[in-house]
Amino acid sequence: MFDILLAILFIPIFLWTVRVVIRKRKAHGVTGIKSALTPICFLSVGVLNILALLFDFIGLISWGLSVAFLLIGAYFTKYQMPEEDEAEGHY
């Protein structure tokens, strides 16, 4: 029962997050797959863990894929859009 309730709560939050990521990328004019891999991997961790919870395949494969997605997502953060400094001279 709790698993289904969690999945039902997860779906609108997931869709809202995808919408926000797409909007921000369009607003900043960011294109390319390398800068999109971080949100894709981080969102994939959530989907993978919800599916693992619903279908009872929580185990080594699920944990391994989660860690792999987190490492790949962390690696590709260097391709994210840079923050602009308003004041010059900041290091």
Side-chain angles (χ1 to χ4, degrees):
M1 176 70 179
F2 178 72
D3 302 345
I4 296 171
L5 182 63
L6 189 62
I8 290 170
L9 183 64
F10 174 77
I11 292 170
I13 293 172
F14 177 78
L15 293 175
W16 177 76
T17 305
V18 169
R19 184 175 168 210
V20 167
V21 168
I22 290 172
R23 244 196 222 165
K24 282 190 175 189
R25 286 180 54 85
K26 283 184 181 180
H28 291 285
V30 178
T31 59
I33 190 69
K34 286 184 179 180
S35 63
L37 279 176
T38 296
I40 289 170
C41 288
F42 288 164
L43 291 171
S44 296
V45 170
V47 171
L48 175 71
N49 287 323
I50 287 292
L51 291 175
L53 183 65
L54 288 175
F55 297 116
D56 291 330
F57 64 89
I58 299 173
L60 189 59
I61 294 173
S62 174
W63 278 87
L65 285 173
S66 293
V67 169
F69 281 139
L70 286 172
L71 289 174
I72 292 168
Y75 176 76
F76 282 99
T77 56
K78 66 182 181 182
Y79 296 107
Q80 293 294 310
M81 52 193 149
E83 296 291 328
E84 296 179 14
D85 288 334
E86 292 183 15
E88 293 184 21
H90 283 195
Y91 296 103

